[in-house]
């Protein structure tokens, strides 16, 4: 494949990072949203062999970007949350029901902290799976597109109910094989640039890549509003973007591989606060 001038520049920058060994620790600042202080730095979970501390992606952003997350009135991601609030109370489907006919938003407090998780059917379920299951089975409505605006906005609204609570996904029992698969994907080199997630987000976090600063790739703030594309972004959309950046064929959004990767990366942030919806570059 012939790289464009911009693509070649990105490739050169990221290839250069692959050969660098030490990581850069961020300056620890307080993140307080709506009177609630977020945990943005914590000791790494014991199963992470190569990290001593885990850090929210918020710490790696510029002061201007950080400021957008401090106030919900300034956070552009809240526009999508407000749209989801309208959808939450709007009847849809053959049953003529709205989400609010069965649920109150406060019912979802804490749910974001434990997902993805394995259900009784033995499958790994994400927040998106639960939402679409309700739509198709209880509302008689069409499932929303995985990674689409409607579904991602609703994930943000439900995730917001857990803001400030620590991520606490399970990785043992029936979740273990999914976690192991996600870990394998995280450390496996793929694509034309022959890189793994770990090359950027474990080996070189804190370093500059072009005009941006690499984070640990934590997902405790997702869905996140990205200034780069001016919209709310899902976890799997970000995974897809990363794989495309290293010239790899992305896995399917909503597919088993990305779900396993989501579980593993979520577990790397166990102890960090839910920041949904966060603001990133």
């Amino acid at each position: 494949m012939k790289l464009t001038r911009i693509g070649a520049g990105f490739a050169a920058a990221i290839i250069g990072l692959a050969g660098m060994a030490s990581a850069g620790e961020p300056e620890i600042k307080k993140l307080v949203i709506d009177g609630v202080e977020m945990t943005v730095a914590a000791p790494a979970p014991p199963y992470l062999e190569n990290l001593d501390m885990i850090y929210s992606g918020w710490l790696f952003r510029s002061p201007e970007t950080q400021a957008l997350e401090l106030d919900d009135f300034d956070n552009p991601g809240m526009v999508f949350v407000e749209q989801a609030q309208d959808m939450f109370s709007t009847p849809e489907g053959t049953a003529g029901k709205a989400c609010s006919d069965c649920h109150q938003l406060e019912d979802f407090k804490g749910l974001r902290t434990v997902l993805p998780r394995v259900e009784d059917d033995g499958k790994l379920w994400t927040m998106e799976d639960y939402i679409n299951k309700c739509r198709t089975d209880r509302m008689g409505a069409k499932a929303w597109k995985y990674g689409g605006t409607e579904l991602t906005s609703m994930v943000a609204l439900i995730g917001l109910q857990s803001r400030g609570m620590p991520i606490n996904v399970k990785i043992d029992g029936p979740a273990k094989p999914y976690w192991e698969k996600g870990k394998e994907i995280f450390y496996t080199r793929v694509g034309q640039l022959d890189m793994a997630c770990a090359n950027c987000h474990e080996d070189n976090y804190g370093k500059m890549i072009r005009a941006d600063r690499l984070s640990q790739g934590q997902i405790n703030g997702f869905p996140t509003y990205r200034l780069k594309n001016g919209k709310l972004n899902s976890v799997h959309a970000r995974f897809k973007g990363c794989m495309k950046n290293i010239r790899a064929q992305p896995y399917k959004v909503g597919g088993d591989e990305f779900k396993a990767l989501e579980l593993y990366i979520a577990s790397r942030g166990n102890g960090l606060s839910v920041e949904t919806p966060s603001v990133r570059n």
Side-chain angles (χ1 to χ4, degrees):
M1 176 189 297
K2 182 179 179 181
L3 298 180
T4 65
R5 185 175 180 180
I6 294 177
F10 181 88
I14 205 165
I15 288 172
L17 284 173
M20 301 172 72
S22 61
E25 309 303 313
E27 177 187 357
I28 306 301
K29 299 180 180 180
K30 280 190 176 182
L31 172 57
V32 180
I33 307 174
D34 198 22
V36 179
E37 183 172 348
M38 306 290 124
T39 299
V40 294
Y47 44 81
L48 296 187
E49 301 171 356
N50 303 319
L51 294 177
D52 295 321
M53 293 289 294
I54 53 174
Y55 302 110
S56 164
W58 181 81
L59 292 173
F60 296 89
R61 305 282 61 86
S62 69
E64 295 79 11
T65 301
Q66 288 179 339
L68 291 174
E69 197 175 321
L70 296 175
D71 191 326
D72 284 344
F73 286 103
D74 294 330
N75 185 336
M78 293 303 294
V79 172
F80 295 89
V81 170
E82 291 171 2
Q83 292 173 353
Q85 287 178 318
D86 290 337
M87 292 188 291
F88 191 83
S89 58
T90 301
E92 265 197 87
T94 57
K97 289 185 176 181
C99 304
S100 58
D101 288 329
C102 296
H103 306 285
Q104 299 297 315
L105 283 173
E106 53 265 31
D107 296 340
F108 299 120
K109 185 175 182 179
L111 181 60
R112 170 69 176 82
T113 68
V114 296
L115 297 180
R117 67 184 177 192
V118 178
E119 275 293 346
D120 292 339
D121 60 3
K123 295 181 180 179
L124 188 64
W125 284 57
T126 63
M127 180 82 76
E128 287 88 343
D129 291 325
Y130 285 105
I131 293 170
N132 271 337
K133 180 73 170 176
C134 276
R135 287 184 58 79
T136 57
D137 289 9
R138 297 182 181 180
M139 297 170 65
K142 183 179 179 181
W144 279 324
K145 179 182 177 182
Y146 209 110
T149 300
E150 294 91 350
L151 187 53
T152 303
S153 299
M154 189 62 71
V155 169
L157 173 63
I158 295 174
L160 176 63
Q161 311 312 309
S162 302
R163 193 162 66 178
M165 300 179 68
I167 297 293
N168 186 30
V169 296
K170 290 186 177 181
I171 66 171
D172 55 358
K176 186 174 181 179
Y178 294 104
W179 186 83
E180 293 286 0
K181 178 62 178 177
K183 180 179 180 181
E184 177 186 355
I185 294 172
F186 187 85
Y187 285 104
T188 299
R189 291 175 176 268
V190 294
Q192 289 183 329
L193 301 190
D194 190 34
M195 295 187 70
C197 309
N199 292 133
C200 284
H201 300 299
E202 185 170 278
D203 301 337
N204 291 291
Y205 67 85
K207 299 189 183 305
M208 297 298 294
I209 177 169
R210 300 181 75 182
D212 203 5
R213 205 170 165 218
L214 287 170
S215 73
Q216 288 184 338
Q218 300 288 356
I219 59 174
N220 57 299
F222 275 80
T224 185
Y225 183 91
R226 295 195 72 200
L227 301 175
K228 177 180 179 180
N229 58 15
K231 67 177 183 179
L232 205 60
N233 293 256
S234 70
V235 172
H236 290 198
R238 184 74 287 253
F239 291 166
K240 179 180 178 180
C242 277
M243 292 193 74
K244 292 178 72 173
N245 284 343
I246 60 173
R247 307 293 184 262
Q249 178 63 44
Y251 298 116
K252 179 184 177 182
V253 169
D256 292 342
E257 293 86 359
F258 274 167
K259 287 182 182 180
L261 182 60
E262 180 180 349
L263 173 63
Y264 176 70
I265 295 182
S267 78
R268 290 174 68 89
N270 270 351
L272 295 179
S273 293
V274 173
E275 295 174 28
T276 307
S278 61
V279 183
R280 303 289 186 257
N281 292 359

